[in-house]
Amino acid sequence: MDWIQIFSNASQELISPTTAAYALAALGLAIHFGYTGLLNFGQAGFMALGAYGYAISILTFGFPVWAAVLVGVGASVVFALILGIPTLRLRADYLAIVTIAAAEILRLLFTTGTWEAVTGSASGLQGYKGSFGALNPFTFEGTVGFGPFQYNAYDWWIRLVGWTVVIIAAVLTWLIMRSPWGRVIKGIREDEDAVRALGKNVYSYKMQSLVLGGVFGTLAGMIFVLPRAVVPANYQTSLTFFIYAILLLGGAATILGPIIGSMIFWVLLSFFSGFIARAVEAGWLPFMTQVQAGQLRFILVGVAIMLIVIFRPQGIFGNKKELAFVK
C-alpha cells in the first residue's frame, strides 16, 4: 500500500478550495447558530444561490466577476429576508423547518427542465471560469510548490482568493462579535427575553445575523464552484449536515473552530477514502466493493467525529460555556 501517496493526497485538503468553502460556510453557521442561536438548516441553499448567481450572471448576462459576486450576494440577502420575515418572531424550530425546506425547493428549481437554458437543469453549468482566470496575476508555466502542494497557476489563484476571503471573514467576525452588536447577538443566544427587556429589537438583530451568515454561505458557494462545475446534486441537505459537523467539531461559537474543523474533516475524509480504496485493491477487504468502500469512508469519519465530540464535546476551540448552549 502506497502510504506516502495516501498521506500526500490527504494533506492537500488542508488548503484546498473545497476546505476553504466549507470553512467559510461553517463560519456563517457559527454566526447563525453559535453566536445567535438560530437553527439554520438551509446553508446549502445559500451556497447554491452563490454558485448559480455567479455562474448565471457570467454565462447568461456576461457580467464581470465583481458584478456576478454582487448578484449572488444580493440573491442571498433576498433569500434571507424571505426566510426570516415569517419565522424569526416564532420559536427557533420554525426557522429550522423553513430553511431546510427552502434549500430543497431551491435545489429542485435549479434541477427542473423549465429553465434548462439558464440553469442547465440536472447537468449544471460550466464554462464560467474564464473571467476569474483572466484576473490571475500568476503567469508561470507548469506546476509550482513544495512537497505535496504542487499546483498550476489557476489552482494557486483559486487557493489564494479562497483563503483570503476566509481570513477576511474570520477577522470581520472576530471584530463584530467584540462590538456592541456582537454582545447583543450573544445576549439573544442566552436569553432573548432579557435582551428585549433592555429595549433592543431582537427581531431586527436576528435578521441581521441571518443575512450576514447567509452572505458568508453565498461567498462559500462561489469559492466551491471555482474548481468545478455547478451541479444541483452538490447542494443536497447532506451538505448542510457536513457543515454542522465541521462547526461542532471546531466549536460552535468560535472563530478558528470552523476553519480548523473544515481542515480536519476533509483531511480525514481524504485519508479514509484513499486508505479504504487501496485496502480493497490489495484484498484486505475481500467482502467489500469499491462502491461500498466509498460509503465506508463517511462511516469512519463519522466515528472519528463522534470520538472527538465525546472526549471534547465543546469542540476543539470551544469552552464549557458554549457547551451549555449547544446542549
Side-chain angles (χ1 to χ4, degrees):
M1 184 173 292
D2 190 353
W3 289 103
I4 294 178
Q5 187 62 43
I6 293 175
F7 282 108
S8 175
N9 292 339
S11 63
Q12 290 183 33
E13 295 298 329
L14 285 171
I15 60 170
S16 73
T18 301
T19 302
Y22 273 70
L24 187 56
L27 195 57
L29 271 189
I31 295 174
H32 288 163
F33 177 69
Y35 287 110
T36 317
L38 299 178
L39 283 174
N40 170 27
F41 281 103
Q43 196 72 332
F46 285 103
M47 292 183 69
L49 282 175
Y52 276 95
Y54 178 81
I56 292 173
S57 296
I58 292 176
L59 295 175
T60 304
F61 301 103
F63 286 1
V65 171
W66 64 268
V69 172
L70 289 180
V71 168
V73 170
S76 72
V77 172
V78 173
F79 185 58
L81 292 174
I82 292 174
L83 296 180
I85 289 174
T87 61
L88 290 180
R89 295 186 188 277
L90 305 174
R91 296 199 313 268
D93 50 352
Y94 286 97
L95 180 63
I97 295 170
V98 169
T99 51
I100 197 170
E104 270 299 286
I105 290 171
L106 274 180
R107 186 182 67 84
L108 294 175
L109 287 176
F110 289 134
T111 306
T112 183
T114 305
W115 302 292
E116 184 175 1
V118 177
T119 65
S121 187
S123 300
L125 298 170
Q126 54 185 342
Y128 50 84
K129 304 174 186 177
S131 299
F132 177 78
L135 302 175
N136 189 356
F138 303 125
T139 58
F140 57 83
E141 299 291 335
T143 60
V144 172
F146 57 93
F149 307 104
Q150 300 282 341
Y151 306 109
N152 60 33
Y154 182 77
D155 289 337
W156 275 119
W157 177 227
I158 297 174
R159 283 162 175 77
L160 175 62
V161 172
W163 285 104
T164 299
V165 174
V166 171
I167 292 171
I168 292 174
V171 172
L172 176 63
T173 304
W174 180 75
L175 290 174
I176 62 176
M177 289 307 163
R178 292 166 57 90
S179 70
W181 185 89
R183 288 192 286 272
V184 172
I185 286 295
K186 288 183 279 189
I188 292 173
R189 176 192 68 187
E190 300 298 335
D191 189 343
E192 67 176 73
D193 290 331
V195 174
R196 190 177 290 110
L198 293 174
K200 302 296 184 180
N201 189 334
V202 171
Y203 174 78
S204 176
Y205 278 93
K206 283 184 176 181
M207 182 65 74
Q208 294 168 38
S209 174
L210 184 62
V211 169
L212 179 59
V215 168
F216 281 9
T218 298
L219 294 175
M222 297 178 192
I223 296 171
F224 184 71
V225 298
L226 287 177
R228 57 175 62 84
V230 179
V231 181
N234 288 334
Y235 305 99
Q236 298 182 23
T237 307
S238 57
L239 173 59
T240 300
F241 295 156
F242 288 165
I243 299 172
Y244 261 107
I246 289 169
L247 177 65
L248 297 177
L249 177 61
T254 62
I255 305 299
L256 290 178
I259 300 173
I260 303 301
S262 182
M263 291 179 175
I264 294 175
F265 179 86
W266 283 106
V267 166
L268 286 177
L269 194 63
S270 177
F271 172 79
F272 286 129
S273 179
F275 171 75
I276 295 171
R278 285 166 176 76
V280 172
E281 292 175 358
W284 293 5
L285 302 172
F287 55 87
M288 185 173 294
T289 65
Q290 286 290 356
V291 175
Q292 294 171 327
Q295 299 303 315
L296 180 60
R297 62 177 180 157
F298 290 106
I299 297 175
L300 294 178
V301 170
V303 171
I305 292 176
M306 287 171 59
L307 292 175
I308 293 176
V309 171
I310 291 172
F311 293 104
R312 183 73 180 177
Q314 67 269 38
I316 296 173
F317 292 94
N319 54 50
K320 295 298 183 181
K321 182 178 180 180
E322 293 157 9
L323 177 62
F325 163 69
V326 173
K327 282 185 175 180

